[in-house]
Structure formats: structure tokens, C-alpha cells
Amino acid sequence: HECMLSGAASCAAESTVTGSPTGDEEALLQVSAPSTRASGAAKIVSADSAGTKKREADVCAQITYESKNVLPANAEAAGMQPPMIVGTDENIDPKFKEAGFDFTGIWWMRDNPVPEELVSFATATANSSTFPVLMEWFNSRSRLWSWLDDPIGWLLVKFYSVFEPNDPAYVDFTSSTYGEIQTFLTDFPLIWVDNWPFVYINDDEWLRPSNFKPGSLLPQTNYTLTRIVLGDGSPHPTFWPLFLEHTKTRPWSGEGVLGGKKMISMASDNYCLR
């Protein structure tokens, strides 16, 4: 939403949608969105504890950047803040590690038929370190998800923008090797999701099938959630080069640039800006 704010009340009247969508839900519903991008900057007036008003720097709701700059060292070399937050043992609930999970780093939705690329599990929480484990996954927050910078990518960004940034998606894990994403599309006419599993392959890959019930108009699809940046911010030795090749620009003439394709991420958790 593009709001020029002089105080918090200017957005209080806006309706919000609760419950964060998964990437699969947003892609399947393809909710129409406003044609204008929230690319203009807005100034937010805030107040300190003494009630003194102060003006923050210009902020954009979304940022676009070259894919290679999700690696923190590349972002630093480009003079920009890293556009994605690296998941670490410090910013992910320690109960995951106690339960045998390692979701640190940045993960690529490899072979996803939808123009969604990366996810970080930073800020994810767990209700327990023993099974069953419920993951709260804040995929709508800023710098935790990325889309390709193309028309469909921007449509998906607009869909995400109607949800509260702090509303989580949920994953039910019955073991350290299997879980299922909760979804409201199980009874949605013509979509009829059966389940969206998380299936462990190895420490750096999880299979993500999308299974549909008989009568659904949608085909079964799979993608592989693949770690490309490690928890210390370094590139994965195998999968980072594959990601760079995947996001290589392909001009009509001349050489393409590895990791040169543009991506989009949320840059603010302010609902009004979105």
C-alpha cells in the first residue's frame, strides 16, 4: 500500500487480511492487484519515548536487486544492505536445532514453476523441541522471500501485500524428516489441495511436492528447497554456482552476467507502505 503518513492513525482504517499465505497459495489464487507499484518513497513520522516527533529516512516498500547480491559479501561490495536476511542459530528458534533441524542460511526454491526464488527461515519459531513440532514461519516479513522482477513476480508481491507481515504460515512436522504446510486451499473449488509436504533429502535439500485431490484442475508439481547460502553467510560450494547460472542474464547478444537477473524482496514491515 502506498500511504503518505503523518501518524499511525492514517492507516488504522485500512482493512487487513490475517494469516500469511504460503507461496503456493498466492500463486494458485493469483489475486488481482493494483497496477501501480509501491515504488515511491514515503516518510514516516514516529515519536520517541518523550513524545518528540522525528522523521525517518525515505523507505520503499520493496527493493529490486541483482540475484547475486543475496550473498552478503556481494551486497557489501555493491554498497547495499543485504536484501535477504541469512538465517542463523541466533535468529532462528533454538528448539529447531534441538529437534534435529538446520534451517540456517538462505534457501532456493529450485525448479519452482512460479517466479519465486528464495526464502529465509530467520525469525521462525517452534512450539516444542520434541515431536510433533509446529513451525511458525514469517514468510511475509521483509527480506525473507524473493520473487523474480517480472510482471508475474510483481503480481505475487501485490498479493502478499494484503497480508499482515507478522502473520505466520504454519508447518506441522511429525519427525525431523517430514512435515506438511497448513493451507486453506484443501476445500477451495477446482484447486482442492491434498497436501504440501516437506520431505527431507539431505542436510541441504528438502523436496516440496504440491499434491492435489482428484478433480483439481492443477497438476502435481515438485520443487526442491535448496540451501545456497550457509548460516555463516558464505556461499554453498555446490548449490551457489548452480543458482548463479540459473539467474544468469541472457541478452540478445553478448555474454550474460551470472546472477544478474533482478529479484524483488519486501523492504519494509510497515503495512501502510506496502
Side-chain angles (χ1 to χ4, degrees), residues 25-135:
E25 286 169 341
E26 61 165 21
L28 294 175
L29 290 176
Q30 291 287 286
V31 174
S32 59
S35 59
T36 57
R37 298 181 184 180
S39 57
K43 289 190 175 180
I44 307 168
V45 176
S46 59
D48 59 22
S49 58
T52 304
K53 290 186 177 181
K54 56 185 178 182
R55 189 170 294 275
E56 296 181 356
D58 287 350
V59 176
C60 289
Q62 296 91 24
I63 51 172
T64 59
Y65 53 93
E66 290 185 316
S67 302
K68 62 186 178 183
N69 288 332
V70 299
L71 192 72
N74 289 350
E76 182 179 356
M80 64 179 295
Q81 179 186 26
M84 293 280 294
I85 299 173
V86 176
T88 67
D89 288 337
E90 288 71 38
N91 62 27
I92 296 175
D93 193 327
K95 289 192 286 290
F96 286 112
K97 192 171 185 178
E98 295 167 10
F101 296 108
D102 179 5
F103 291 120
T104 60
I106 295 175
W107 297 74
W108 171 25
M109 291 173 271
R110 180 160 53 101
D111 298 323
N112 190 348
V114 186
E116 300 172 304
E117 294 296 325
L118 302 178
V119 58
S120 168
F121 292 95
T123 75
T125 63
N127 70 333
S128 174
S129 60
T130 58
F131 296 98
V133 172
L134 177 65
M135 170 191 277

Side-chain angles (χ1 to χ4, degrees), residues 134-249:
L134 177 65
M135 170 191 277
E136 287 190 330
W137 173 19
F138 298 92
N139 58 329
S140 287
R141 285 181 178 170
S142 61
R143 300 165 62 207
L144 298 182
W145 196 274
S146 80
W147 304 262
L148 281 180
D149 183 12
D150 64 18
I152 298 177
W154 277 104
L155 178 64
L156 297 177
V157 168
K158 287 298 184 183
F159 178 73
Y160 255 73
S161 297
V162 304
F163 290 85
E164 281 286 356
N166 290 320
D167 286 337
Y170 297 96
V171 187
D172 295 299
F173 285 100
T174 54
S175 72
S176 61
T177 60
Y178 186 84
E180 290 188 7
I181 300 174
Q182 295 182 14
T183 174
F184 60 82
L185 297 178
T186 53
D187 298 313
F188 200 94
L190 304 181
I191 294 180
W192 292 315
V193 170
D194 187 5
N195 57 20
W196 283 335
F198 257 68
V199 183
Y200 178 85
I201 301 174
N202 57 55
D203 287 350
D204 298 312
E205 294 177 290
W206 288 76
L207 182 64
R208 266 289 296 109
S210 294
N211 300 319
F212 299 92
K213 299 175 183 178
S216 174
L217 298 180
L218 301 170
Q220 312 297 320
T221 59
N222 296 325
Y223 67 79
T224 305
L225 199 60
T226 304
R227 192 186 339 244
I228 59 168
V229 177
L230 303 179
D232 62 1
S234 63
H236 191 285
T238 301
F239 296 120
W240 176 251
L242 292 181
F243 174 71
L244 290 181
E245 182 63 35
H246 167 70
T247 54
K248 181 179 179 179
T249 57

